[in-house]
Amino acid sequence: MWNSLRRWAARRSAPHEHTTGNNVVDNIGGSVQAGHIEQVHLHTPAPPRARPPAESSPGDPHRSLSTWQSHALVEPQELVHVQEVVAELARAIANPTSTAAISVSGAGGLGKTAITHAAVQQVATSEHFTHVVWASAKNTRFSNAGQGDASVDSIYWHDVLRMIAAQLNCPLSPNQALWEQELTDYLAGAPADTRALVVVDNLEVVHAADRVFERLGALGLRHPHVVVVTSRWAVVDEGTDVRDFRIVPLTPAQTYDLVRLLAADTGSDLGTAQDEDLAPVFGITEGNPFLIKLITRRFIVTGRSLERVISELRSVADGKLGGRVRTWLFDRSLDELSARFSQEDAVGLLFSFCASGRGDSLTYHELRAESGVASDDRFESLLETACRLSLVRPSDRNRRYSVHSLLYEYTCPLAWQRQGA
């Protein structure tokens, strides 16, 4: 997407061509890997040890409450400033009369995985479920054959089925084509008191998030079972019985607390820094825990000033820190926006924010006029999708819109380059 933006900026008045989703989906790697950046918990003393979950016994294949831990690649540690949302999520998961489908959504780096993991830990030590399953969808891809097509790519989908079946103690045959029916039959024949909690984590191929509930429900994972999905895509469509937990950034005060806590006992003077000294950290991170941790640890390890570390983060040169962060935080969502509409529409919407200063917002009508999108209906749908992807953030009761300061820093030089060409 970013190479496309550069090419777009280089065009002058050349005719625009619409692109389809088939040539914009990019399998992103890079040296800033998910295993390193989705750890939003803090390395602080662990809370008192909870009662260990009930173990599955060899004679009782219909209970499994502990094996999920080996599939969840999150080191459980104490979280800060999220206790309330963890508790609320745990209550929603455990409530037998609640919805059977829950999404935990928000921008990259806000701690969706860690918060969900903490909530599941609370629930797994209770008697609410007979099985707890954790399946990582990091390498999972649903078919993009059509926007309304619920089919899934067989190879990646079967990886998820295999993880779920293994933790449910459901035997599968060597023939993958039979796995869905075998899992369906197994669930249908389970004891009446069976209640499974299934978490599908890191569903970052976001167009799949609103399909995974339907797909798993068709296999039998519906009430009284519960399915939880973590994704950047907020599943809030009308007609779907999905409860969405939106994870929000930290406040300025919480940001400063996190910096000082991370720097405590390191010998760094950030551990005792005043709020006004740490204001630039919130200014560039806007309360994103991943970015706060990245800046703090880079400051401690490299001996560089905050100004230099923040400058590195703003750089979009390929292979540099800012470029790698940009790739992980924004590229997937930008590719999804282009796939659902067109590259022209996606770029037009992003470039609209460059008409104002960093941190400023636009009204709906200002944004509509700047975007250049052909029709009101198409713009309405484009803006809704960008908000659900956490690329655009509504405020003032959804009357004004803005983008993250880093997205502004990464995008607007390209827009200005285009204007000056």
Side-chain angles (χ1 to χ4, degrees):
M1 176 69 183
W2 291 95
N3 289 332
S4 299
L5 282 173
R6 293 189 185 99
R7 290 194 296 270
W8 182 275
R11 296 177 188 172
R12 297 193 179 186
S13 56
H16 302 307
E17 295 182 1
H18 289 262
T19 57
T20 65
N22 295 330
N23 59 2
V24 296
V25 176
D26 185 19
N27 189 9
I28 299 168
S31 58
V32 178
Q33 297 178 2
H36 297 153
I37 58 184
E38 292 185 357
Q39 302 275 342
V40 299
H41 48 269
L42 303 177
H43 292 279
T44 55
R49 181 174 297 178
R51 177 172 62 89
E55 295 285 344
S56 302
S57 63
D60 185 8
H62 300 296
R63 292 191 66 84
S64 179
L65 291 171
S66 61
T67 57
W68 71 276
Q69 292 275 22
S70 63
H71 295 267
L73 303 178
V74 178
E75 182 184 355
Q77 301 211 12
E78 187 179 5
L79 304 175
V80 294
H81 299 308
V82 294
Q83 289 83 355
E84 290 185 8
V85 68
V86 168
E88 185 180 0
L89 178 57
R91 286 193 296 269
I93 292 172
N95 188 348
T97 63
S98 182
T99 177
I102 296 172
S103 65
V104 182
S105 64
L110 292 184
K112 301 181 294 293
T113 293
I115 288 170
T116 302
H117 184 273
V120 173
Q121 276 192 310
Q122 292 185 14
V123 172
T125 60
S126 66
E127 299 297 324
H128 294 290
F129 294 95
T130 58
H131 297 74
V132 177
V133 173
W134 189 287
S136 176
K138 188 166 297 298
N139 295 318
T140 301
R141 181 179 61 200
F142 283 69
S143 171
N144 198 29
Q147 292 298 327
D149 188 0
S151 64
V152 296
D153 182 282
S154 59
I155 297 174
Y156 297 94
W157 173 239
H158 284 117
D159 286 343
V160 172
L161 290 181
R162 176 178 47 77
M163 286 185 280
I164 292 174
Q167 294 172 70
L168 289 176
N169 301 314
C170 169
L172 296 176
S173 66
N175 187 351
Q176 291 185 348
L178 302 177
W179 286 5
E180 287 196 8
Q181 188 59 52
E182 289 170 346
L183 184 55
T184 300
D185 293 343
Y186 182 84
L187 290 168
D193 65 344
T194 299
R195 189 174 186 228
L197 166 61
V198 176
V199 179
V200 183
D201 181 39
N202 287 315
L203 196 62
E204 301 298 6
V205 183
V206 288
H207 65 265
D210 47 6
R211 263 185 265 167
V212 72
F213 294 114
E214 177 184 353
R215 193 67 172 175
L216 292 178
L219 299 180
L221 288 168
R222 52 187 178 271
H223 198 273
H225 310 301
V226 176
V227 175
V228 179
V229 164
T230 70
S231 175
R232 300 184 189 188
W233 177 254
V235 184
V236 292
D237 288 333
E238 294 181 4
T240 61
D241 187 21
V242 179
R243 180 175 179 183
D244 183 61
F245 281 78
R246 192 72 168 170
I247 308 303
V248 299
L250 300 179
T251 65
Q254 292 170 342
T255 297
Y256 309 148
D257 286 346
L258 179 53
V259 172
R260 285 188 285 258
L261 188 54
L262 288 169
D265 301 323
T266 66
S268 168
D269 55 5
L270 281 186
T272 57
Q274 299 298 309
D275 288 357
E276 55 267 25
D277 298 323
L278 300 177
V281 177
F282 181 79
I284 192 65
T285 66
E286 298 186 8
N288 183 298
F290 159 62
L291 293 174
I292 296 166
K293 288 172 55 174
L294 182 66
I295 289 174
T296 304
R297 289 171 178 167
R298 198 161 181 85
F299 174 91
I300 294 169
V301 170
T302 66
R304 294 171 184 162
S305 67
L306 273 181
E307 291 77 12
R308 289 186 62 195
V309 173
I310 290 172
S311 178
E312 283 183 312
L313 198 58
R314 286 175 171 157
S315 171
V316 295
D318 291 334
K320 299 296 184 181
L321 177 65
R324 298 195 300 271
V325 169
R326 176 210 67 203
T327 294
W328 188 77
L329 285 182
F330 302 120
D331 274 13
R332 284 286 181 89
S333 296
L334 288 167
D335 287 342
E336 179 69 15
L337 189 64
S338 291
R340 285 176 173 257
F341 296 90
S342 72
Q343 181 178 301
E344 179 183 359
D345 287 343
V347 171
L349 182 66
L350 285 179
F351 281 6
S352 299
F353 292 97
C354 303
S356 59
R358 183 169 68 88
D360 290 342
S361 61
L362 298 175
T363 67
Y364 177 90
H365 296 292
E366 290 170 341
L367 191 55
R368 172 71 183 92
E370 290 286 345
S371 70
V373 177
S375 69
D376 289 341
D377 288 344
R378 187 171 180 83
F379 174 77
E380 186 83 27
S381 182
L382 175 70
L383 180 58
E384 177 185 346
T385 301
C387 289
R388 291 178 65 179
L389 288 169
S390 301
L391 290 170
V392 174
R393 302 171 306 183
S395 59
D396 189 24
R397 299 182 182 178
N398 295 347
R399 290 191 289 253
R400 302 192 70 86
Y401 301 87
S402 61
V403 294
H404 194 283
S405 60
L406 277 181
L407 185 55
Y408 179 93
E409 296 276 358
Y410 297 155
T411 303
C412 291
L414 301 175
W416 299 328
Q417 177 186 341
R418 181 188 174 209
Q419 291 174 351

